Amino acid sequence: MELQAVLMAAGGGSRMTDLTYNTPKPMLPVGNKPLMWYPLNLLERVGFEEVIVITTKEVQKMMSTDPKMKQEVKMKLDVVCIQEDGDMGTADALRYIQQKIKTDVLVVSCDLISDVALHEVVDLFRAHNATLAMLMSKAHEFTETVPGQKGKKKTAEQRDFVGVDQSGKRLLFMANEADLEDGLSVRKSILRKHPRMHIKTGLVDAHLYCLKKAVVDFLTENKSISSIRGELVPLLVRKQFSKTLSKQKMKDDSEDQTQKKNDELLISSRDESLLQLAQERSCWNDHHGDMSEAYHGGKLRCYVHIMDQGLCYRVNTLAAYIEANRLVSQLLSLRCSCMSLFFSFTINIAMNVQLKCLCSIQGSVICSNAVIGRGADLKYCLVGSGQRIEPEGEKRQNKQAEIKLGSEISVLNFFSIQ
Amino acid sequence: FLLISASLFSVTKQTEGKELTKEEKQRLRKEKKQQKKNKEKKDEKASQGSEKEKKSGSLAAAAPQPPAKSTTVKTPSAVPAPAPVSVPSSLEAPAPVDKPSKTKAELKAERRARQEAERASKPGKKGEPGQQAASGKQKAPPSELQPVIKRLPEHIQVDNPDVLKKLAKKLERQQIPLRLDYGYKVSLFSHLHQYSRKAPLTQQLSIPSTVIHPAVVRLGLQYSQGIVAGSNARSVALLHAFKQVIRDYITPPNEELSRDLVNKLKPYISFLNQCRPLSASMGNAIKYVKKEISNISSQCKEEEAKSKLLNCIEWYIKEKIILAAKAIAESSIEKINNEDVILVYGCSSLVNHILFEAFEKGRKFRVIVVDSRPRLEGREALRRLVQRGISCTYVLISAVSYILPEVSKVFLGAHALLANGYVMSRVGTSQIALVARAFNVPVLVCCETYKFCERVQTDSFVSNELDDPDDLMVTRNGKTQLESWQEVPSLGLLNLVYDVTPPDFVDLVITELGMIPCTSVPVVLRVKNVDQ
């Protein structure tokens, strides 16, 4: 078996508490499908047959009752439940299922909505025998503002500085703005090996990682690492250029401990000597201009695939959620038709929706069991399940609406009557 | 027959095709009648037939491939001309249609007259091995008396839609995606595959690949991206992948390891072929592995059989690649004298090894590295030599006639050595050999015996490899001149990988069996076959 897929669906959704206080994040409806359906669909399309899903008991219950999950997901889902207290990071979760991991692992986050060609990421992982391969995307500015947040947008989350080499594939440097107190410092050894480094800040990390099995074993030894994105990835990127890895001598006793740990990361495959021989005889080098061999003799390599075009969203904020809803209909190319109603742009209507006459719906997503009252004029709205939109007497027209999910019947904004 | 052939001269290629098929049918009918007569005289005919084959063997063996190819280049659907045209006319293939057809037609007439005479003199003989060879491509030989039919390999018949259909069906059966050709192909080479590096085969495979073993998928990717390049490296990597496959193999119930494992390897080999056409050394390695697998007795338990196979593979690598390199280095050191100026081309792992060994033994020499676009492999050779301390000069191939007066010897590596003594190597090698001959500089080719190939080729057109044409685009000062080459209708980009050097330009071939002249290659092949 080549790769095992692991879906991290135990996250809390701490940045969108408006929506997640009632529904856990993986089950939030986006375009009438639960949020975790999207990464599962991506994995299924590409050819995976089994996925290990790490989630909470509540989500597992909801999954088993949701008809969409049962019908449309054909893969075998191996659900592992963990405590909901929120202390477990993604790396902790990987450590928890270490027994199930038999081969290299592909970790996906439940809030990723993307149409990336996964083979681009996995090919980097395969061809260069990399320890880590991840996916990033150029960030798109969100076009519509979040309702309820008038005025200036909140300050962006702390930026990530990502350094890649000339080809744009090899990951050389990764740090979050929060960790850089005095400024960005790059080690001379890195610059000596890769004199041209491109540092990018406007990238969105898709939280999709291909990790070697040796990394999972490394995690079991180092119990202090708790988050993949926050700690493990920067550690691996730094370790590429660590001196102890390129040399293979073990002198000090004090260095013994760290050496052992490092060696674990480099668990070599059988017939390593043959691979060495093939690489020696091959006339290929990944860089030109200095006297070192391919990969500078380094055994640990981290690669990144940066998407220019295509969809890649992480639904972890309110703005992202709204944007995702709008774009999801493009992704799924769903259309709807109805009489005596005006429709334009792509809209997404679920089952059991009652539409009274003289409605005008534009670019919206309407979840199941909703009732749209007479004469409603919806533009780019998201109507939750079980909501009712009653025509009020006001003449104000608003372009956006955001409806709280759940069983409340409340209307946040007003609509014009036709 | 003479009358029919006379009418063929004035006819165009299209109708010629039709005439030939009728003629073929007549011939086949006659042969069937002859078969019924000849059943008693089998032995005599077998010996006589083989004699005949040896006589026309040199003509027919070499010829059916190039002349048949030259006609198919012009008319893909036409029946390949049965007359084995001599070598010069095949080289005229690029010339306009009229001229070669006249010379071919004349030769056809001569040959037909000859055969008619032979047929008349010996009524029971099937004395048309040449013509038979051609018609054999259309129809399977009807009896065992037929001499060995040489079929055209599929990978050089890409412009023939029937062959493509057959290939697609075969790949579908093996559940391997078909890799589509990319871009406009120069007409001379339209019979070869041309793939784009940006469209890897893994696009159409499922991600945790179940049909193909992951080690083989990784290998295919490394081939198509050029990470593993060079004849020796590719063979070693292939054998490494086979070792993983054999380790992970479990015999299904009611199957024998010796048969089932070979069947398991077939789709992997097709997959690797789609990623990048197999090299001669890889072909020989695969033949060896398949032979070893089929030689496993059914009494053997699975674990035992698997460890035996793994040992065989390790032995092959050790003997044919590592020890051979050592032996070649030892014999070459005698040829390297102090104060020598050695010219090398591109990055050949074997030639580099020889130079390292010679330098360690204390010989004082300097090296001139000749390089060429688009691969620029010479940079890697330069780096490795300079790292060891050898003083080097670096030129591009356009300067080779300028630098040659300084050179005392030329060492070349080989991708394969063909059965007629021709050396198949990186494109540009034959140029270097030619210029060196003009300057009377000795040319030494270093090649291990496992790269010897039973194929025969006299030109670089028939069987070659086309690399990604986008490699020829170069960006200087932010501008890429050839960026929109596909939109220019009269422009074709050609990125050839191999070329073929005639044995007249090569003074010595250094193998682990000793230093042999180029023409002794068939002897070595024969000795190898007898050994095995």
Side-chain angles (χ1 to χ4, degrees):
Chain A
M1 232 210 319
E2 191 184 358
L3 273 184
Q4 267 176 294
V6 175
L7 181 72
M8 298 284 186
S14 49
R15 271 173 284 194
M16 30 204 280
T17 43
D18 299 339
L19 297 168
T20 54
Y21 74 93
N22 217 0
T23 341
K25 188 170 92 163
M27 296 309 286
L28 276 182
V30 175
N32 289 316
K33 296 197 207 280
L35 182 56
M36 63 192 288
W37 182 89
Y38 291 92
L40 286 175
N41 182 253
L42 173 68
L43 292 173
E44 192 172 346
R45 258 187 291 139
V46 156
F48 275 94
E49 285 168 1
E50 308 192 342
V51 182
I52 302 175
V53 181
I54 302 182
T55 181
T56 56
K57 286 213 170 48
E58 195 189 333
V59 176
Q60 188 184 26
K61 236 191 299 173
M62 287 183 76
M63 265 171 64
S64 48
T65 52
D66 191 326
K68 285 253 161 43
M69 297 291 290
K70 271 197 243 163
Q71 287 162 11
E72 297 184 23
V73 177
K74 307 264 183 337
M75 304 183 288
K76 188 179 122 192
L77 299 177
D78 180 8
V79 184
V80 173
C81 291
I82 59 169
Q83 296 296 338
E84 212 176 299
D85 46 18
D87 272 355
M88 247 201 178
T90 41
D92 296 325
L94 261 192
R95 202 177 298 129
Y96 188 73
I97 55 166
Q98 196 244 346
Q99 301 295 328
K100 295 192 185 238
I101 308 272
K102 310 264 185 277
T103 165
D104 300 336
V105 71
L106 173 69
V107 179
V108 190
S109 169
C110 67
D111 52 11
L112 174 69
I113 299 184
S114 178
D115 64 351
V116 66
L118 257 189
H119 76 90
E120 307 255 2
V121 180
V122 182
D123 278 353
L124 283 174
F125 184 68
R126 289 164 174 156
H128 299 278
N129 210 7
T131 310
L132 163 75
M134 55 190 285
L135 173 68
M136 287 193 145
S137 156
K138 299 220 161 99
H140 302 276
E141 277 302 316
F142 294 136
T143 44
E144 307 278 343
T145 53
V146 177
Q149 283 174 8
K150 305 283 195 304
K152 257 208 234 166
K153 266 174 82 162
K154 275 194 202 155
T155 51
E157 298 147 30
Q158 304 246 282
R159 294 181 294 178
D160 275 322
F161 290 91
V162 178
V164 292
D165 76 339
Q166 187 83 342
S167 64
K169 299 274 171 198
R170 179 91 189 262
L171 194 51
L172 302 175
F173 181 81
M174 174 170 284
N176 190 285
E177 199 172 345
D179 300 328
L180 303 173
E181 312 271 313
D182 302 328
L184 204 151
S185 56
V186 181
R187 297 229 301 256
K188 244 199 240 174
S189 58
I190 305 180
L191 280 182
R192 235 179 264 132
K193 292 180 182 167
H194 300 269
R196 287 199 177 189
M197 179 157 56
H198 298 265
I199 300 195
K200 302 181 190 243
T201 51
L203 292 180
V204 169
D205 185 345
H207 282 226
L208 190 148
Y209 309 105
C210 272
L211 295 166
K212 268 223 166 99
K213 178 166 182 305
V215 177
V216 182
D217 299 335
F218 172 76
L219 276 181
T220 46
E221 297 292 314
N222 296 300
K223 300 209 196 289
S224 56
I225 302 178
S226 79
S227 156
I228 296 184
R229 176 63 178 88
E231 292 166 47
L232 183 62
V233 170
L235 176 72
L236 288 176
V237 174
R238 271 199 310 271
K239 264 204 166 18
Q240 287 180 99
F241 304 103
S242 155
K243 282 203 194 123
T244 45
L245 280 184
S246 23
K247 294 190 197 137
Q248 272 149 14
K249 298 163 200 130
M250 279 170 66
K251 300 285 173 184
D252 282 317
D253 265 3
S254 58
E255 279 185 25
D256 250 353
Q257 284 289 318
T258 44
Q259 193 66 32
K260 257 196 230 159
K261 284 184 194 168
N262 292 338
D263 279 348
E264 264 163 26
L265 264 182
L266 300 177
I267 285 176
S268 42
S269 59
R270 292 169 286 199
D271 302 320
E272 180 72 15
S273 57
L274 269 190
L275 276 180
Q276 269 293 91
L277 181 66
Q279 201 178 347
E280 269 171 49
R281 297 299 178 106
S282 169
C283 54
W284 176 84
N285 205 325
D286 65 329
H287 64 277
H288 294 281
D290 68 355
M291 287 298 241
S292 37
E293 50 184 1
Y295 306 126
H296 299 277
K299 299 266 190 314
L300 210 171
R301 305 182 270 275
C302 298
Y303 283 85
V304 64
H305 172 68
I306 302 181
M307 274 172 80
D308 300 328
Q309 298 153 343
L311 213 59
C312 180
Y313 282 98
R314 283 208 58 228
V315 180
N316 53 1
T317 59
L318 220 43
Y321 181 68
I322 296 176
E323 189 79 14
N325 267 297
R326 279 192 209 118
L327 289 165
V328 132
S329 12
Q330 278 170 26
L331 185 63
L332 301 176
S333 54
L334 293 169
R335 299 239 167 241
C336 215
S337 67
C338 218
M339 290 82 67
S340 81
L341 297 166
F342 300 114
F343 290 119
S344 46
F345 291 96
T346 49
I347 65 161
N348 193 329
I349 300 194
M351 319 215 282
N352 292 334
V353 170
Q354 288 184 37
L355 299 161
K356 301 276 161 58
C357 48
L358 296 179
C359 290
S360 163
I361 307 189
Q362 204 178 16
S364 309
V365 178
I366 306 180
C367 297
S368 54
N369 298 320
V371 177
I372 314 287
R374 255 176 61 154
D377 178 13
L378 298 169
K379 289 200 176 100
Y380 303 106
C381 297
L382 166 60
V383 182
S385 53
Q387 298 300 303
R388 276 167 52 188
I389 298 187
E390 313 271 338
E392 300 272 345
E394 303 285 325
K395 296 239 170 175
R396 243 192 313 151
Q397 182 184 0
N398 253 319
K399 278 223 170 143
Q400 282 178 26
E402 200 226 311
I403 317 292
K404 287 219 176 80
L405 301 170
S407 54
E408 298 168 28
I409 305 170
S410 67
V411 180
L412 283 186
N413 287 308
F414 301 110
F415 305 95
S416 67
I417 304 170
Q418 295 202 328
Chain B
F1 258 72
L2 273 172
L3 292 171
I4 299 169
S5 56
S7 65
L8 278 174
F9 301 153
S10 47
V11 167
T12 59
K13 283 282 173 192
Q14 286 274 321
T15 47
E16 191 180 57
K18 287 182 201 157
E19 294 270 346
L20 282 168
T21 47
K22 276 191 211 157
E23 195 182 323
E24 290 242 342
K25 283 183 198 162
Q26 283 181 347
R27 223 181 293 135
L28 288 170
R29 261 180 255 138
K30 280 198 179 173
E31 283 157 18
K32 278 188 189 161
K33 282 188 201 163
Q34 286 172 352
Q35 269 177 51
K36 287 182 190 165
K37 285 184 204 165
N38 298 341
K39 273 188 183 160
E40 313 96 50
K41 302 179 195 169
K42 262 187 195 175
D43 290 334
E44 283 177 48
K45 266 167 219 144
S47 57
Q48 284 167 345
S50 60
E51 268 176 43
K52 269 246 141 189
E53 228 236 333
K54 275 187 200 156
K55 270 190 230 165
S56 48
S58 50
L59 264 184
Q65 289 179 3
K69 248 318 80 207
S70 55
T71 49
T72 36
V73 163
K74 285 176 217 133
T75 50
S77 54
V79 170
V85 186
S86 58
V87 172
S89 71
S90 75
L91 288 178
E92 284 170 49
V97 183
D98 286 325
K99 289 185 198 154
S101 72
K102 277 188 197 151
T103 48
K104 259 196 233 147
E106 283 170 25
L107 286 160
K108 255 188 238 167
E110 282 172 34
R111 213 174 158 274
R112 233 167 251 144
R114 231 186 300 137
Q115 284 167 349
E116 198 49 25
E118 283 167 359
R119 201 180 284 161
S121 59
K122 295 166 191 173
K125 266 224 143 62
K126 285 203 189 82
E128 303 160 358
Q131 288 189 331
Q132 215 50 22
S135 64
K137 284 171 210 138
Q138 256 68 75
K139 202 179 157 217
S143 83
E144 330 138 24
L145 284 182
Q146 298 292 333
V148 173
I149 306 295
K150 295 240 192 273
R151 287 183 197 280
L152 279 179
E154 287 171 348
H155 67 270
I156 58 171
Q157 286 193 71
V158 173
D159 52 353
N160 187 348
D162 300 326
V163 171
L164 280 181
K165 262 192 237 160
K166 255 205 293 181
L167 176 67
K169 260 197 226 155
K170 175 177 127 183
L171 290 177
E172 214 181 325
R173 226 182 328 122
Q174 294 174 333
Q175 294 176 286
I176 292 171
L178 174 70
R179 197 170 183 194
L180 294 170
D181 283 0
Y182 165 77
Y184 170 70
K185 284 193 268 193
V186 172
S187 59
L188 257 184
F189 293 92
S190 58
H191 60 283
L192 298 170
H193 282 293
Q194 181 173 280
Y195 300 127
S196 165
R197 202 155 293 144
K198 295 201 203 90
L201 204 49
T202 48
Q203 236 171 3
Q204 298 149 47
L205 282 180
S206 69
I207 288 271
S209 65
T210 39
V211 174
I212 304 175
H213 192 275
V216 177
V217 176
R218 171 172 297 169
L219 186 65
L221 261 179
Q222 287 178 331
Y223 281 165
S224 64
Q225 290 181 7
I227 295 175
V228 174
S231 200
N232 281 336
R234 283 165 72 182
S235 311
V236 171
L238 174 73
L239 290 169
H240 168 85
F242 276 179
K243 276 180 99 175
Q244 313 293 333
V245 170
I246 292 175
R247 274 216 189 87
D248 295 337
Y249 173 74
I250 301 175
T251 325
N254 304 331
E255 294 277 356
E256 268 196 37
L257 186 137
S258 53
R259 255 175 261 141
D260 188 60
L261 186 52
V262 178
N263 288 339
K264 271 255 155 53
L265 288 180
K266 281 201 189 130
Y268 301 162
I269 295 167
S270 307
F271 172 75
L272 292 175
N273 205 359
Q274 288 280 325
C275 289
R276 192 177 163 190
L278 296 180
S279 66
S281 55
M282 285 166 69
N284 287 342
I286 291 173
K287 260 191 231 153
Y288 172 77
V289 171
K290 280 190 177 166
K291 194 184 68 114
E292 286 298 316
I293 295 176
S294 21
N295 282 348
I296 297 233
S297 69
S298 37
Q299 263 74 35
C300 239
K301 278 192 229 161
E302 188 176 317
E303 283 311 311
E304 215 184 295
K306 289 208 289 194
S307 65
K308 199 163 149 217
L309 285 174
L310 294 174
N311 285 337
C312 283
I313 292 182
E314 274 172 42
W315 173 88
Y316 187 83
I317 296 176
K318 184 154 175 248
E319 181 168 305
K320 304 275 179 179
I321 301 179
I322 301 178
L323 286 180
K326 251 194 193 168
I328 294 176
E330 274 178 25
S331 11
S332 325
I333 284 175
E334 300 162 27
K335 293 287 176 188
I336 300 179
N337 311 317
N338 282 332
E339 308 312 321
D340 252 350
V341 180
I342 299 177
L343 186 130
V344 299
Y345 178 63
C347 185
S348 163
S349 53
L350 187 54
V351 172
N352 289 344
H353 181 80
I354 292 172
L355 294 175
F356 297 156
E357 294 288 308
F359 192 70
E360 311 254 309
K361 291 253 164 70
R363 294 276 200 277
K364 306 260 179 297
F365 57 92
R366 68 182 178 94
V367 175
I368 297 181
V369 179
V370 177
D371 202 6
S372 70
R373 278 200 67 229
R375 288 182 172 237
L376 292 171
E377 287 168 338
R379 291 185 295 187
E380 185 58 22
L382 184 68
R383 179 190 74 78
R384 291 181 194 193
L385 292 170
V386 172
Q387 208 178 28
R388 298 280 181 138
I390 304 175
S391 53
C392 298
T393 310
Y394 176 88
V395 291
L396 288 181
I397 193 169
S398 38
V400 80
S401 56
Y402 166 77
I403 203 96
L404 255 170
E406 298 178 18
V407 172
S408 57
K409 313 193 154 66
V410 176
F411 271 83
L412 297 173
H415 168 89
L417 235 62
L418 305 173
N420 56 350
Y422 279 64
V423 177
M424 184 178 199
S425 184
R426 185 67 79 222
V427 66
T429 314
S430 60
Q431 278 303 294
I432 303 238
L434 173 72
V435 182
R437 164 66 85 207
F439 280 86
N440 278 326
V441 173
V443 173
L444 294 91
V445 169
C446 310
C447 184
E448 299 98 332
T449 52
Y450 86 107
K451 289 184 193 161
F452 284 20
C453 167
E454 290 184 19
R455 220 170 44 190
V456 167
Q457 228 178 296
T458 51
D459 58 65
S460 319
F461 298 97
V462 169
S463 178
N464 208 323
E465 185 185 330
L466 292 179
D467 208 356
D468 190 350
D470 290 338
D471 285 349
L472 292 176
M473 296 199 287
V474 74
T475 310
R476 290 207 180 99
N477 297 332
K479 275 205 294 188
T480 315
Q481 299 288 8
L482 285 173
E483 205 158 12
S484 46
W485 69 271
Q486 306 228 35
E487 290 152 31
V488 182
S490 50
L491 181 63
L493 294 191
L494 179 65
N495 191 355
L496 276 184
V497 183
Y498 298 117
D499 74 2
V500 153
T501 310
D504 329 328
F505 297 152
V506 175
D507 292 303
L508 196 64
V509 174
I510 309 179
T511 68
E512 71 260 29
L513 299 174
M515 305 202 227
I516 57 176
C518 234
T519 43
S520 304
V521 170
V523 176
V524 171
L525 278 174
R526 217 181 318 134
V527 165
K528 261 205 322 182
N529 287 339
V530 164
D531 271 347
Q532 289 168 353

